Amino acid sequence: MFIFEKAPFPSCHASTLVEHEPRKLLAAWFGGKAEGAADVQIWSSTFNGKAWSEPAVLGTEPAQPCWNPVFFKTAKGTLYLWYKAGPKPETWTGFVRTSADNGKTWSRAEMMPAGFLGPVRAKPIQLINGTILAGTSLESYRNWTPYVDRSTDDGKTWKRSNAFNVPEKFGQIQPTVFVAKDGKIVALMRSRNPRFICRSVSSDGGETFTPAEETALPNPSAGIDVVKTREGDVFLIHNPTQLLRSPISLARSIDDGKTWKKVEDLEIEVGEFSYPAMIQSVVGTLEITYTWNRTHIKYVSLDPKKYRD
């Protein structure tokens, strides 16, 4: 289903999703005249299990476009919204808002220190010891560089990992992360050079990562997301092509992302179906949102058990 049929904006992109209360969802995206237009704001909607609410503005910056919202709820119950604002990714400023009542009310937007954007597109994860790991990246002239930011104080402050580009190749951004069976942290990134999903691993809880390696998964320089389920499977939602943001598909791995098998095509027609967000709900379902032709945000709920061998 679409989160909205009609909206006060013609264009939308880059959704995020969180289960802010059991069996209830909160989604956000940026919307306005077009990506990068001065009227682009962060919009949000809630899902009660039957219907989505009317979109409402949750982030804005006067005369500047907003970008890439990310929701995350910590183990202590703090609900975060991070987003970016500024003319283009090279000049973004990061903003953050928090909620202590599951999104009913929000703090005022605060700027993050220059160079810190929060999770740049995909949701963070939280380790058993409480450490939060957020995939982030910086885009500059000729050089896109991935990092992982690490917080041990419930998201109040952050320390940055090393950069982990493919050696001598630049263009990896927007890491999505999960914990492997051996406790290592795996980061998967979109890439424009090479046009394959890239992979990096941390053996020290996210403080440092190995140089990225190219996987066999093609990528058209578009966002991806990953979920490690409570059952131990890893699911990846992505565009399995080097050229277009269609199709958009779900893949499953039983070896912590070393190999993958496509299990579902969500969209196969010509168009743009991109920038997915994916979480596992308290009842075990995979809850998914993604951009649908830049005019809508589509919502899909899937049972991962049906893909098990």
Side-chain angles (χ1 to χ4, degrees):
M1 70 168 65
F2 293 136
I3 290 180
F4 52 85
E5 291 293 341
K6 295 182 180 180
F9 45 79
S11 177
C12 58
H13 191 41
S15 60
T16 181
L17 188 66
V18 67
E19 189 172 26
H20 63 303
E21 297 181 67
R23 303 192 183 193
K24 294 183 179 180
L25 302 175
L26 180 62
W29 59 91
F30 68 73
K33 183 179 180 181
E35 179 175 345
D39 71 336
V40 172
Q41 301 176 95
I42 303 301
W43 296 79
S44 70
S45 178
T46 58
F47 185 64
N48 61 9
K50 296 181 179 180
W52 289 91
S53 66
E54 290 294 319
V57 175
L58 197 54
T60 190
E61 178 70 6
Q64 293 293 336
C66 294
W67 313 71
N68 292 17
V70 177
F71 279 133
F72 182 69
K73 188 175 181 180
T74 72
K76 292 183 177 180
T78 304
L79 179 60
Y80 277 91
L81 167 68
W82 294 274
Y83 62 96
K84 301 88 194 157
K88 53 186 179 179
E90 293 87 342
T91 55
W92 276 348
T93 290
F95 289 84
V96 61
R97 300 185 74 180
T98 60
S99 175
D101 55 12
N102 295 320
K104 296 180 180 66
T105 62
W106 291 88
S107 67
R108 65 179 180 86
E110 296 184 3
M111 288 190 296
M112 301 185 72
F116 280 83
L117 303 171
V120 77
R121 203 206 67 83
K123 65 192 177 300
I125 61 170
Q126 190 160 16
L127 307 183
I128 294 175
N129 65 6
T131 298
I132 299 172
L133 300 178
T136 193
S137 50
L138 297 176
E139 300 177 39
S140 65
Y141 171 66
R142 293 181 61 196
N143 192 342
W144 291 2
T145 301
Y147 303 86
V148 167
D149 287 344
R150 186 172 182 271
S151 176
T152 57
D153 57 5
D154 205 50
K156 297 179 180 66
T157 61
W158 299 88
K159 292 184 179 180
R160 179 152 295 171
S161 75
N162 62 310
F164 46 86
N165 299 73
V166 173
E168 298 181 0
K169 295 182 180 180
F170 303 96
Q172 295 86 57
I173 54 173
Q174 301 172 352
T176 177
V177 295
F178 66 92
V179 182
K181 295 180 181 71
D182 59 7
K184 294 180 180 179
I185 311 301
V186 179
L188 300 177
M189 294 81 69
R190 66 176 273 188
S191 179
R192 63 178 181 181
N193 179 24
R195 285 206 163 206
F196 291 91
I197 290 175
C198 294
R199 173 187 171 101
S200 179
V201 177
S202 172
S203 300
D204 55 12
E207 294 187 43
T208 60
F209 283 79
T210 60
E213 297 179 349
E214 301 169 29
T215 72
L217 295 164
N219 180 258
S221 192
I224 62 175
D225 205 2
V226 69
V227 163
K228 175 73 172 283
T229 67
R230 291 185 289 275
E231 296 76 22
D233 296 336
V234 184
F235 285 92
L236 170 71
I237 184 168
H238 67 126
N239 301 112
T241 171
Q242 290 184 310
L243 299 175
L244 304 172
R245 292 183 173 186
S246 179
I248 189 167
S249 305
L250 185 69
R252 172 176 175 253
S253 174
I254 58 174
D255 56 10
D256 284 324
K258 296 180 179 67
T259 61
W260 297 91
K261 178 183 179 181
K262 184 172 72 172
V263 294
E264 185 100 19
D265 285 320
L266 302 180
E267 306 280 353
I268 58 173
E269 63 269 27
V270 176
E272 181 180 347
F273 312 105
S274 64
Y275 268 57
M278 181 168 59
I279 61 173
Q280 186 177 32
S281 72
V282 293
V283 297
T285 51
L286 294 176
E287 305 296 322
I288 297 166
T289 59
Y290 55 88
T291 297
W292 193 90
N293 280 327
R294 297 277 178 148
T295 60
H296 292 79
I297 302 298
K298 193 166 184 179
Y299 162 66
V300 178
S301 181
L302 300 172
D303 183 355
K305 293 179 182 177
K306 72 177 184 179
Y307 306 118
R308 306 203 83 183
D309 298 328

